[in-house]
Amino acid sequence: MPLILDTAPATDPVTLAEVKAHIRVDHTDEDARIGDFIRAATQRFDGRDGSLGCCLITQTWELVLDAFPRREIGLDLWPIQSVLSVSYDDPEGVAQTMAPANYVVDKASRPGWIVPVKGFSWPATLDAINVVRIRFRAGFGDNPGDVPEPIRTAIKMRVGHLYEHRESVMHGSGFVTELPDGAEDFVRNFRTWTF
């Protein structure tokens, strides 16, 4: 059940000026580097691969399924703003879009979900892969100030750590240790697990 990013956020959840104030930088020499750190820190929290399982700034995703489930469809990212469409390939392979009146979206739950209205069931689909597609918009809002302050502070703290510690290991007298925000921490969500 892949989640595919359709439209990325238009802005970061923290501004360059906010981060520079947090890390006490008053020059522009490293603005590009700090911007890279903001994006890297944000990705550790945001979206499908982030540690929070939520979207920070408004973004559009597509959930792709091989068939409709028996009852509800879970939307594993929150907060859900809206479901844009529920489409599927019917048994003849013709693309169809369901009327919004035929399903209900629970935006209050974490994560959200979709269920058919009473007296309606999910339609039959083509027996193939990726035949059900749900496009939805998720995020706290369109602006950095819409993101809860604890999350924004965590991003600023992570950027501060990256700014101060530019390498993934620290050398001391007689020891070498990887820092908590080292290279392995940033790439762990990209590992492919095989069984």
Side-chain angles (χ1 to χ4, degrees):
M1 134 171 114
L3 275 168
I4 302 162
L5 180 62
D6 183 60
T7 305
T11 188
D12 293 315
V14 294
T15 67
L16 179 63
E18 290 171 328
V19 170
K20 287 175 70 173
H22 177 80
I23 62 176
R24 296 183 179 103
V25 170
D26 59 5
H27 56 79
T28 59
D29 299 349
E30 296 190 280
D31 283 3
R33 181 179 312 275
I34 294 169
D36 291 342
F37 291 157
I38 290 170
R39 286 181 292 284
T42 298
Q43 287 179 13
R44 294 299 298 129
F45 297 113
D46 186 40
R48 178 195 62 212
D49 299 322
S51 63
L52 298 178
C54 72
C55 297
L56 304 180
I57 298 292
T58 300
Q59 48 201 274
T60 304
W61 288 83
E62 183 173 65
L63 173 65
V64 180
L65 305 169
D66 294 340
F68 281 107
R70 293 186 67 174
R71 188 76 180 133
E72 70 271 352
I73 298 171
L75 301 174
D76 291 337
L77 294 174
W78 68 279
I80 302 299
Q81 293 177 2
S82 62
V83 170
L84 303 173
S85 64
V86 175
S87 60
Y88 63 98
D89 296 338
D90 68 18
E92 286 74 45
V94 178
Q96 305 286 341
T97 300
M98 290 183 61
N102 292 335
Y103 57 87
V104 176
V105 180
D106 177 4
K107 298 187 288 186
S109 294
R110 188 191 301 183
W113 47 279
I114 306 169
V115 65
V117 295
K118 185 175 181 176
F120 186 81
S121 59
W122 297 120
T125 62
L126 181 68
D127 186 16
I129 61 171
N130 303 329
V131 295
V132 177
R133 298 162 299 278
I134 295 100
R135 290 187 71 242
F136 64 97
R137 190 169 287 130
F140 290 104
D142 297 336
N143 303 304
D146 297 330
V147 177
E149 194 56 41
I151 297 172
R152 290 166 35 82
T153 298
I155 293 169
K156 289 183 268 189
M157 290 171 69
R158 189 166 285 241
V159 172
H161 180 82
L162 292 170
Y163 186 78
E164 289 297 320
H165 305 280
R166 309 243 176 142
E167 301 301 326
S168 63
V169 295
M170 183 171 63
H171 299 274
S173 56
F175 71 90
V176 176
T177 185
E178 182 167 15
L179 296 170
D181 288 334
E184 288 299 317
D185 180 57
F186 276 90
V187 298
R188 70 176 170 215
N189 286 349
F190 294 95
R191 180 177 178 168
T192 300
W193 296 92
T194 57
F195 300 96

